[in-house]
Structures are given as structure tokens and as C-alpha cells.
């Protein structure tokens, strides 16, 4: 997926490893100091590379954050593929539950995911993912999840799919924001409320088909 904030894509293994180390350092520091306090200098120090090395690959902090968000999205899809392979036949309500389950687990275990959940999670915060391509008003996360559901999970098409997916994503984000406000592990009762909300929403949509 395109990231206009990337100045140069690494080709040799040494450079690829260096970029992964930079992203790992960025993710850990986000957990420790937060988005506003994150600096290129600190990331470089944690990754044990010169600051100039980061600018060789990224246009600065925005490009680095976007690349981390894209990496997190790819990791989510990898985890969903494993879930789908283990589940067998799926329904939309069950698929929504699996996405929520994996998202919760990633927020608990993946460095930087709590802060960079594909976006600045503060009200009005910008997304770190590139814009979507669907003329119906989708975004990259909605588009990738919907295409995954149809092409890999074998689910039937939805009516007005990109708006449906965007609403489901925002509802999930709101539930998890509440769940993780007071606890790094998340409030199980609030997570359960989010699960019920998603399941009911997709069950209702499924009945329309």
C-alpha cells in the first residue's frame, strides 16, 4: 500500500532490518511517552541509528507513523487469516466478533498499537492511514476489511458496504476507547458491550439480505 511519506523503500536485508528496528523503536516510545512527545531524535537513539538514517527512509514523523499504521494493519489481517482458517464457515456477526477480539488482543500486546490504532485516537485526531479509493466514501481500513471479508472469509456482500464498515469501525473504536481509558488491559464489561453492539448491528444487516 502506498505511503507518500516514504522517501526510499529498503531493498537489501540490512536496510530492511534497519527500517523494522526504527518502527519497533517508534512503537515502544509511543507507549512510553505518547504521540506529542515522540521525536525523531529519541526514535533514532532507541533504534541505535543516526537521525539522518530515519530521514533517508521517511519524510519525518508523519511518514514514520503512517508506515507503522500500515504495518499494524497488515498484522491485523495476518491474525484474521489465522482466525478464519480455524473457524471454518463464518457469518457477518461472528466475523465482527473476531475483528474485535483480535483488535483487543493487539491493543494489549502489540507495542504502539494502543496509541497508534491506525489514527491519533484523540477527538478530531488525524488518521495515519492513506485515504481510501472507494467513491462511496470508504477509507483504507474499511476497504481492506471488507475486501478481506468477501475474498478471503467468503462472506456475502453487504448493502452500502463502505458506510457500514466505517460505522462499525468507529463504533468499535469508541467502545475500546472507553474500555482502555482506565486499564491497559481493557475493561472486560465494556469490551463485552462493544461485542454485543457489533453482533446486533451485523445480525440486523444480515436479516436484510
Amino acid at each position: 500500500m502506498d505511503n507518500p511519506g516514504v522517501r526510499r523503500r529498503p531493498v537489501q536485508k540490512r536496510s530492511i532490518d534497519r527500517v523494522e528496528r526504527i518502527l519497533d523503536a517508534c512503537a515502544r516510545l509511543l507507549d512510553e511517552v505518547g504521540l506529542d512527545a515522540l521525536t525523531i531524535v529519541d526514535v533514532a537513539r532507541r533504534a541505535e541509528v543516526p537521525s539522518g538514517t530515519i530521514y533517508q527512509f521517511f519524510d519525518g514523523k508523519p511518514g514514520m507513523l503512517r508506515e507503522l499504521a500500515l504495518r499494524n494493519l497488515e498484522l491485523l489481517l495476518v491474525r484474521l487469516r489465522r482466525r478464519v482458517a480455524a473457524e471454518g464457515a463464518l457469518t457477518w456477526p461472528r466475523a465482527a466478533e473476531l475483528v474485535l477480539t483480535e483488535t483487543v488482543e493487539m491493543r494489549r500486546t502489540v507495542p504502539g498499537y494502543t496509541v497508534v490504532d491506525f489514527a491519533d485516537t484523540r477527538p478530531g485526531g488525524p488518521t495515519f492511514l492513506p485515504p481510501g479509493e472507494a467513491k462511496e466514501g470508504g477509507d483504507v481500513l474499511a476497504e481492506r476489511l471488507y475486501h478481506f471479508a468477501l475474498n478471503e472469509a467468503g462472506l456475502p456482500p453487504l448493502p452500502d458496504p463502505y458506510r457500514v464498515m466505517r460505522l462499525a469501525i468507529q463504533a468499535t473504536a469508541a467502545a475500546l476507547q472507553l474500555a482502555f481509558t482506565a486499564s491497559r488491559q481493557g475493561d472486560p464489561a465494556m469490551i463485552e458491550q462493544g461485542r454485543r453492539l457489533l453482533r446486533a448491528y451485523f445480525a440486523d444487516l444480515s436479516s436484510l439480505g
Side-chain angles (χ1 to χ4, degrees):
M1 192 178 299
D2 183 50
N3 177 359
V6 171
R7 286 178 166 159
R8 178 166 68 88
R9 285 283 174 194
V11 177
Q12 297 180 342
K13 184 179 185 303
R14 180 180 177 186
S15 294
I16 293 172
D17 291 344
R18 190 176 298 156
V19 168
E20 287 300 305
R21 199 161 73 243
I22 289 168
L23 294 177
D24 289 342
C26 176
R28 290 193 298 270
L29 282 167
L30 279 166
D31 278 348
E32 295 172 15
V33 305
L35 179 62
D36 291 336
L38 181 75
T39 68
I40 293 291
V41 171
D42 288 338
V43 172
R45 186 180 299 116
R46 179 66 64 90
E48 299 181 341
V49 299
S51 296
T53 298
I54 296 179
Y55 288 106
Q56 287 178 11
F57 295 106
F58 303 111
D59 64 0
K61 185 173 170 179
M64 185 173 57
L65 289 170
R66 175 171 284 186
E67 195 69 7
L68 179 60
L70 288 169
R71 189 175 76 166
N72 283 342
L73 174 54
E74 292 304 321
L75 177 57
L76 174 61
L77 292 171
V78 167
R79 295 173 70 121
L80 289 175
R81 287 186 185 102
R82 292 175 186 157
R83 283 276 187 172
V84 169
E87 285 273 329
L90 281 177
T91 63
W92 273 107
R94 179 58 181 158
E97 289 180 327
L98 294 182
V99 174
L100 176 64
T101 298
E102 287 300 331
T103 301
V104 168
E105 187 61 22
M106 287 182 72
R107 288 191 68 140
R108 288 171 174 165
T109 61
V110 176
Y113 195 87
T114 300
V115 179
V116 183
D117 194 4
F118 309 127
D120 179 349
T121 55
R122 294 169 298 187
T127 179
F128 297 123
L129 290 172
E133 298 178 358
K135 64 181 179 180
E136 295 89 343
D139 57 34
V140 165
L141 182 54
E143 291 169 17
R144 291 294 296 274
L145 287 176
Y146 186 61
H147 294 161
F148 173 84
L150 265 59
N151 300 328
E152 299 191 49
L155 290 166
L158 289 172
D160 200 5
Y162 299 116
R163 290 186 179 89
V164 166
M165 296 301 290
R166 291 182 73 190
L167 179 58
I169 289 165
Q170 291 301 317
T172 301
L176 295 187
Q177 176 116 10
L178 292 170
F180 282 84
T181 296
S183 169
R184 290 184 65 86
Q185 292 301 304
D187 172 16
M190 184 59 72
I191 293 169
E192 171 62 14
Q193 291 300 319
R195 186 195 68 78
R196 294 178 62 191
L197 184 153
L198 286 172
R199 186 169 185 87
Y201 180 49
F202 280 99
D204 180 66
L205 288 168
S206 299
S207 71
L208 297 177

